[in-house]
């Protein structure tokens, strides 16, 4: 006698909606925020502020995932990678999704309330970018740029949370973050390029076409240039330069992989995940680079 599969508990479905089963995307948003708080605090961030930034990053990225899935609930079923998402598969209702988004934004607001006034209003300014990003793929040829600008807010908020201001070096870190995000998210978009073309959804992978590998390489090269300039201006020591060299090698390897005439689609996901490790290598290098 056949047995029916056990239904997934609702709490686990909500966890999938928040992408807690896929921590890579949560960590990769947190990394630029940690870069900023470490550098702005001279390597000695207050523990409570560090906790607030971690919680705020997790809550904000969770809210962004839910908002994205609400906008794309009729598109995701047409894409192999996203067809089983809770809202796309109708495992959760739209009302549940809205409720989860409100709770996530409320948690992010609670974390933002701890910050100084300037940082708090930067958090408020980031909300429209987060909420409207999913619409960009419908009207803007390079929607990954909008996502990159949203990622950039993590730098501005975290840096100003320490200093209550933004310095020229802050913008170098912001530029590095935007370019890095453009690089790894264009790689991520390559996995969906055929589905996006069929549906008519925009992406940087579609926009750059056959030049996507070269463009990704240039984005990563720009990231290296911005981080190197940052290291010089902040007088970071040997530890930072070692981490930058390791990251540079990793990004060149990614570029080389993408240039191959035949590439397994699983490589795109591998490159995306490896960028998390490169981000943490750079974080360790920044901390070591400040030590004297």
């Amino acid at each position: 006698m056949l047995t029916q599969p056990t239904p997934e508990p609702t709490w686990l479905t909500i966890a999938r909606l928040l992408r807690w089963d896929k921590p890579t995307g949560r960590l990769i948003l947190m990394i630029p925020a940690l870069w900023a708080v470490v550098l702005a605090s001279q390597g000695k961030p207050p523990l409570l502020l560090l906790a607030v930034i971690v919680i705020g990053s997790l809550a904000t990225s969770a809210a962004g995932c839910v908002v994205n899935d609400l906008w794309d609930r009729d598109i995701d079923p047409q894409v192999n990678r996203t067809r089983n998402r809770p809202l796309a598969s109708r495992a959760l209702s739209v009302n549940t999704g809205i409720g989860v988004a409100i709770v996530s934004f409320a948690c992010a607001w609670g974390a933002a309330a701890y910050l100084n006034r300037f940082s708090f209003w930067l958090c408020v300014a980031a909300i429209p970018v987060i909420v409207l990003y999913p619409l960009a793929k419908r009207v803007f040829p390079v929607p990954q740029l909008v996502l990159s600008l949203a990622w950039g807010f993590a730098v501005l908020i975290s840096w100003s949370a320490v200093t209550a201001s933004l310095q020229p070096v802050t913008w170098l870190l912001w530029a590095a973050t935007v370019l890095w995000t453009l690089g790894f998210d264009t790689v991520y978009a390559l996995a969906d390029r055929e589905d996006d073309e069929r549906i008519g959804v925009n992406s940087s992978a579609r926009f750059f076409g056959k030049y996507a590998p070269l463009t990704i390489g240039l984005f990563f090269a720009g990231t290296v240039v911005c981080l190197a300039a940052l290291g010089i201006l902040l007088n970071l020591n040997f530890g930072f330069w070692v981490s930058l060299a390791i990251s540079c090698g990793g990004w060149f390897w990614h570029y080389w992989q993408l240039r191959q005439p035949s590439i397994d689609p699983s490589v795109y996901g591998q490159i995306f995940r490896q960028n998390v490790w490169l981000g943490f290598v750079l974080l360790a290098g920044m901390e070591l680079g400040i030590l004297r």
Side-chain angles (χ1 to χ4, degrees):
M1 184 175 181
L2 296 176
T3 57
Q4 295 296 324
T6 304
E8 182 179 59
T10 301
W11 68 267
L12 188 55
T13 309
I14 291 175
R16 287 199 298 112
L17 177 65
L18 296 168
R19 308 283 203 280
W20 286 351
D21 59 324
K22 297 179 179 179
T24 302
R26 313 292 68 76
L27 293 173
I28 211 164
L29 172 63
M30 190 188 303
I31 287 167
L34 295 176
W35 287 351
V37 76
V38 163
L39 291 175
S41 65
Q42 300 287 308
K44 299 177 181 178
L47 290 180
L48 182 56
L49 176 60
L50 197 59
V52 165
I53 293 214
V54 169
I55 293 170
S57 297
L58 291 174
T60 303
S61 63
C65 288
V66 180
V67 168
N68 181 82
D69 287 6
L70 283 166
W71 282 116
D72 289 353
R73 64 186 182 276
D74 294 325
I75 292 177
D76 284 344
Q78 305 176 59
V79 179
N80 285 328
R81 184 179 56 84
T82 60
R83 66 174 71 251
N84 292 320
R85 286 178 175 175
L87 293 175
S89 64
R90 304 319 192 240
L92 293 176
S93 68
V94 171
N95 287 339
T96 300
I98 292 172
V100 173
I102 290 172
V103 171
S104 299
F105 275 121
C107 292
W109 178 86
Y114 169 81
L115 306 177
N116 61 60
R117 183 177 296 271
F118 181 45
S119 299
F120 176 83
W121 286 109
L122 282 173
C123 293
V124 173
I127 292 175
V129 183
I130 295 169
V131 172
L132 296 177
Y133 157 67
L135 289 182
K137 68 182 69 172
R138 295 161 170 83
V139 298
F140 186 58
V142 190
Q144 278 68 26
L145 176 59
V146 181
L147 179 71
S148 300
L149 295 176
W151 246 249
F153 271 101
V155 168
L156 304 182
I157 293 166
S158 298
W159 192 290
S160 63
V162 175
T163 64
S165 64
L166 300 175
Q167 288 88 40
V169 290
T170 314
W171 293 103
L172 271 175
L173 186 61
W174 175 86
T177 297
V178 169
L179 289 169
W180 181 49
T181 307
L182 274 169
F184 69 66
D185 208 49
T186 299
V187 174
Y188 197 68
L190 285 170
D192 297 335
R193 182 160 57 181
E194 291 183 4
D195 286 330
D196 289 343
E197 288 175 351
R198 175 173 48 81
I199 299 167
V201 172
N202 295 317
S203 76
S204 54
R206 287 190 64 197
F207 180 77
F208 295 119
K210 66 179 181 179
Y211 298 107
L214 174 61
T215 307
I216 291 166
L218 291 174
F219 288 147
F220 287 153
T223 304
V224 172
V225 170
C226 290
L227 290 175
L230 182 77
I232 292 171
L233 290 175
L234 292 179
N235 194 29
L236 300 180
N237 65 26
F238 184 71
F240 169 75
W241 296 104
V242 170
S243 72
L244 185 58
I246 293 171
S247 299
C248 188
W251 288 324
F252 182 81
W253 169 245
H254 295 161
Y255 168 70
W256 185 85
Q257 287 180 293
L258 295 170
R259 287 295 301 265
Q260 301 311 301
S262 179
I263 182 170
D264 190 298
S266 65
V267 171
Y268 302 134
Q270 292 171 11
I271 290 175
F272 183 77
R273 291 188 294 273
Q274 287 165 9
N275 269 273
V276 174
W277 292 108
L278 293 179
F280 278 118
V281 166
L282 282 165
L283 177 64
M286 290 171 183
E287 181 69 43
L288 293 172
I290 292 170
L291 298 177
R292 294 289 186 265

